[in-house]
Amino acid sequence: MNYSPIKMKELLEKHDFNFKKNFGQNFIIDENVITNIIKKSGVDQDTLVLEIGPGAGSLTYKLSEYAKNVICYEIDTKLQPILEETLSDCSNVKVIYQDFLKSNVLETLKEYNYKKLYVVANLPYYITTPIIVKLIEDHISVEKIVVMVQKEVGNRFKANSGSKEYGSLTVFLDYYFDIKKVMDVSKNVFLPKPNVDSIVVSFTKKVQVLTAQNEEYFFQLVRDSFKQKRKTLRNNLKSYNLEVVERVLKKYDQDLSVRAENITLEEFIEMSNELCKEK
């Protein structure tokens, strides 16, 4: 595949392709950046890769050189002739023209033999969380997720308690994954060029998980704690047993005047478990 921006533009013009804002389409066109992402992700010949939103196939083509197999989900059928051209030499790639969020991924995975299952993708920010939620709720045994997203969004994913980026989404992800920054990516390596730089973040499934006794209750507690982010837990958790909440907080030298952004995953889990005992 030719990674030249000029060649990419020619390819898209040849197939009369127009970028669609509603799909958040920004295609990465720098081969060195793509190779670096794949090497840092640890994809190898034992890996089956799920890619959501292959675009024109720039990342897909290089993934096919490293992975055992690549399964792509593409919602924009206008990209089919482009992908057929760019991936014509990639016998280990399958492109499924469906909305990933509505696809029966587990059924498709039955067709493959593999040792490791990774997700590697360049994602628009608005769909990243729904994709991760689907992977969890559908019990798709993904060992690692490596995604390129807007820098601001990536910083929210990997935020620490006490920072302004820390929120209910951070706690949700931290419950299941060890999250790390892989690398920064300049906005200049995309076509069309977005307004902001990107970041590559990896989510590695936790081996030892601190478990909430009632996960549904735990996640509701977290959402309620961040309901009005600038308010204290005393205000946000009025419908909960505040005596129990305060008892847990005191163990960590905190009280009900604290905001949710200063509560760690471990503290939220203990709070939830103690509240469940009192129900």
Side-chain angles (χ1 to χ4, degrees):
M1 179 175 177
N2 193 316
Y3 284 88
S4 157
I6 294 172
K7 292 291 184 184
M8 175 63 76
K9 287 177 182 176
E10 288 176 355
L11 173 68
L12 299 178
E13 286 172 6
K14 172 185 169 184
H15 293 283
D16 196 26
F17 178 79
N18 295 307
F19 290 95
K20 299 174 184 64
K21 282 189 177 180
N22 60 315
F23 289 151
Q25 291 172 330
N26 297 96
F27 301 163
I28 187 166
I29 50 174
D30 188 301
E31 185 175 8
N32 291 328
V33 172
I34 289 170
T35 301
N36 203 11
I37 291 168
I38 295 170
K39 284 183 175 179
K40 285 179 181 290
S41 71
V43 169
D44 58 26
Q45 287 298 308
D46 290 326
T47 313
L48 170 60
V49 175
L50 295 176
E51 185 188 6
I52 298 98
S58 302
L59 176 61
T60 321
Y61 186 88
K62 190 60 66 173
L63 278 169
S64 73
E65 296 179 356
Y66 286 81
K68 183 176 184 181
N69 292 99
V70 183
I71 304 170
C72 304
Y73 287 86
E74 179 53 63
I75 195 171
D76 188 356
T77 54
K78 293 287 185 183
L79 284 163
Q80 185 166 351
I82 295 169
L83 287 167
E84 285 174 357
E85 182 170 336
T86 56
L87 304 177
S88 59
D89 297 331
C90 304
S91 59
N92 60 341
V93 174
K94 178 178 183 176
V95 183
I96 299 171
Y97 294 95
Q98 287 178 9
D99 181 348
F100 176 79
L101 297 177
K102 298 176 182 176
S103 299
N104 189 336
V105 181
L106 287 173
E107 195 61 36
T108 300
L109 290 175
K110 290 177 183 177
E111 303 170 20
Y112 294 85
N113 292 312
Y114 54 91
K115 291 183 180 177
K116 298 182 291 185
L117 180 63
Y118 286 7
V119 170
V120 182
N122 169 28
L123 295 175
Y125 73 93
Y126 71 88
I127 201 174
T128 306
T129 303
I131 284 171
I132 293 172
V133 170
K134 177 180 173 65
L135 293 169
I136 292 168
E137 292 183 346
D138 287 5
H139 303 289
I140 300 167
S141 56
V142 173
E143 191 174 312
K144 188 187 285 189
I145 302 167
V146 180
V147 291
M148 183 160 36
V149 293
Q150 288 183 357
K151 197 165 192 174
E152 180 186 340
V153 178
N155 287 337
R156 204 179 307 151
F157 289 158
K158 66 180 187 63
N160 294 317
S161 61
S163 67
K164 63 179 182 180
E165 294 91 357
Y166 187 77
S168 57
L169 174 61
T170 318
V171 179
F172 172 77
L173 295 173
D174 191 28
Y175 185 77
Y176 293 103
F177 302 101
D178 289 316
I179 306 166
K180 292 180 181 177
K181 171 184 167 181
V182 176
M183 60 187 282
D184 291 310
V185 180
S186 167
K187 59 187 174 185
N188 297 317
V189 303
F190 294 93
L191 183 71
K193 184 166 80 170
N195 296 322
V196 294
D197 290 328
S198 293
I199 188 173
V200 179
V201 183
S202 72
F203 302 78
T204 305
K205 194 173 182 181
K206 284 184 173 177
V207 179
Q208 291 184 314
V209 183
L210 288 167
T211 308
Q213 290 170 13
N214 183 329
E215 289 187 352
E216 186 178 346
Y217 183 84
F218 164 71
F219 289 121
Q220 187 60 55
L221 170 69
V222 172
R223 282 193 293 272
D224 288 340
S225 297
F226 284 95
K227 189 163 47 183
Q228 296 185 70
K229 200 170 180 186
R230 303 316 300 163
K231 291 201 171 183
T232 65
L233 290 188
R234 180 181 282 108
N235 287 310
N236 281 337
L237 298 181
K238 285 178 180 176
S239 62
Y240 291 80
N241 187 330
L242 290 179
E243 288 183 11
V244 175
V245 173
E246 189 165 38
R247 190 168 70 229
V248 174
L249 289 171
K250 279 183 176 177
K251 287 181 60 179
Y252 297 94
D253 297 321
Q254 307 213 67
D255 58 37
L256 289 168
S257 66
V258 73
R259 291 178 178 142
E261 65 191 42
N262 293 302
I263 305 296
T264 65
L265 170 67
E266 291 75 17
E267 290 168 41
F268 273 122
I269 290 173
E270 186 170 345
M271 206 183 297
S272 172
N273 288 346
E274 289 302 311
L275 284 165
C276 282
K277 289 178 186 176
E278 301 292 324
K279 286 174 70 179

